[in-house]
Amino acid sequence: MNRAESLRDKLSFTRASVQTDSLTVVLDLTTASEAIEAACLSVFGITGESGQDLPSTPLDAFIGHCRATFEALAVRDESEALHFVTLISAFIHECRHVHDLRGTRIGAELLLADIQTYARLPSLIQDLQHWLQENPEAVLFLPLRSGDFDLLNLGPTAKDHYAHSLETRARMQRLWSSKSRFRILPGTSIKDLYEVLGFEAQIDFVSGTYGNDIAKIVADACLGGDAARAKYLRPMEVLVIQSNAHGVRFDPGAGDMSRLVTSALNMCGLDEAFDADVPGDRHPGAWFDRLAEIYVRLAHAEKCPSHERAEWAAPIVAEWELGTDLTALYQRASQALDEAQKSLLADLIGRTDLELISPAVLIATEIAIDFRQGQRIMFEQPEYHSPMGYLSLLVGGELTRVYVRANTRSMGVIDFRMPSEIPTNHVGGARSASAASQQIRLMMTGRRFDGGFLQEQAYRELLDPAIAGLRFRQRRAARKTEASAA
């Protein structure tokens, strides 16, 4: 087995992900060896105290620690050293998703809309608890179906809440995954654009820390299939196509892709990007095609400095296509998020007990606040877009806080927060929201036995008499019509 095959094998057991509705980064270290787990915890500075705020670290110190740890692991087992690199770089990839989602208009609107999916969960659990108390011998089947609520006679409120959650989650998934249909085909989805940003930050970190040879191994492992290559490389291919069409040498500068993609995600909101959930000519993927064309035209103009091409592309497109400037776009986005937040809070408070949905309310207000902070950082600090610049801001505590839930061999499940000097408006809200998002997934899709530790923890909490005390049985897919109550 060569090095790339070895790392690809390791990648299949690497667990780092982000819960995009609650923005909690999930890191599973239980599939790694004890040495790799210890190395990861040491690099992050985790001492074993759950809930701790990690201290800010200068970039040089963090990079030095990562290099020394890699070299120490490689002396014993190069494959383990590569697995360590994969875990750390995947973690950075997921952290970048948090900041890109909260800092761009499309991301913030998606997050605010999806909060409704799990905000109604507490009242739904209460209804299920009451039904089970009245039917002490009964169980509930997962996943729940809308027809179950008529069978259980839970009343219209529970049925409406669940149906609304199903509808909202399905719609958000459609918006998240629908590809653009304008200018250059095949198109790009919103999810693909965010994945490009995360992948770029991941590979930049590996290249800047361990060199291009190791970065190529990681990139080749990540790009193992055609679907992955299309997801991560399509925007770069668009730039190549545009360059060839204009007879321009293809030479994007450091951070240009990040600037172009984040600009595309900031041009318009969901209502403008989609018409009846169908991508229109203002979908972020279509905006990226426009920005790429302007970028290449600027490259063709000899008087345009290379480091200003991506920076100039967004203002030109905004003026030509929308007849406005970036300041006006930001003001529109800020107003749209305020209106979405007010509508969401009015809906939640009007239908549900405030005490039960308080974590969702806090997350909603924080998303609106963090959008403004993220915009400031993206536009005022160019290092956010540059190789290693994002990592410097992340470990230095200059970005909004990232909440992390890690599953370890030695300490079980622990929570920690990446460093930040920016205050947050809640304590524990992200943890509550991540648990609620997992629980509603269980209700909607059933228990997946490869769903990871966060799902299993949420499932145990649903069964725990001290927390929810529900009684479930997995619905067998082969049985087409199975009653929900025994």
Side-chain angles (χ1 to χ4, degrees), residues 289-426:
D289 293 347
R290 292 183 178 94
L291 291 166
E293 183 179 7
I294 295 298
Y295 172 86
V296 171
R297 288 184 181 181
L298 291 171
H300 190 68
E302 295 181 359
K303 294 182 179 180
C304 179
S306 59
H307 67 276
E308 294 180 348
R309 293 171 190 166
E311 185 176 353
W312 286 6
I316 291 174
V317 168
E319 183 178 355
W320 285 5
E321 302 282 350
L322 296 175
T324 187
D325 57 22
L326 294 183
T327 299
L329 286 185
Y330 167 77
Q331 291 171 344
R332 288 181 192 174
S334 182
Q335 181 178 359
L337 289 171
D338 282 343
E339 292 173 355
Q341 180 187 0
K342 291 176 183 177
S343 175
L344 170 64
L345 298 183
D347 180 55
L348 293 178
I349 294 172
R351 295 191 182 192
T352 314
D353 183 76
L354 180 58
E355 181 181 355
L356 292 177
I357 53 88
S358 57
V361 171
L362 292 170
I363 291 291
T365 57
E366 188 169 272
I367 287 171
I369 293 169
D370 282 0
F371 165 75
R372 295 168 176 83
Q373 185 68 25
Q375 286 283 292
R376 183 189 65 78
I377 292 171
M378 286 181 184
F379 285 98
E380 293 182 4
Q381 300 193 51
E383 59 267 33
Y384 181 89
H385 303 281
S386 65
M388 303 300 284
Y390 169 76
L391 180 60
S392 177
L393 296 172
L394 175 67
V395 299
E398 296 183 54
L399 300 173
T400 53
R401 197 175 305 279
V402 176
Y403 293 82
V404 184
R405 177 160 287 185
N407 195 21
T408 68
R409 292 169 175 264
S410 57
M411 296 175 286
V413 177
I414 60 172
D415 295 291
F416 62 90
R417 294 178 290 272
M418 294 300 288
S420 178
E421 297 299 323
I422 300 170
T424 56
N425 67 344
H426 72 268

Side-chain angles (χ1 to χ4, degrees), residues 39 42-45 60-70 84 210:
S42 174
V43 163
F44 290 128
D60 290 346
F62 182 82
I63 294 299
H65 198 166
C66 288
R67 284 175 179 158
T69 303
F70 172 82
F84 163 76
Y210 305 106

Side-chain angles (χ1 to χ4, degrees), residues 167-201:
E167 180 184 349
T168 301
R169 179 55 57 88
R171 180 170 185 262
M172 290 306 102
Q173 188 60 44
R174 288 196 301 272
L175 300 184
W176 183 247
S177 303
S178 297
K179 294 183 179 296
S180 58
R181 305 177 181 183
F182 183 70
R183 297 232 173 182
I184 300 178
L185 297 175
T188 303
S189 68
I190 293 172
K191 180 180 180 181
D192 289 347
L193 291 173
Y194 283 113
E195 286 296 342
V196 166
L197 294 170
F199 179 69
E200 183 183 47

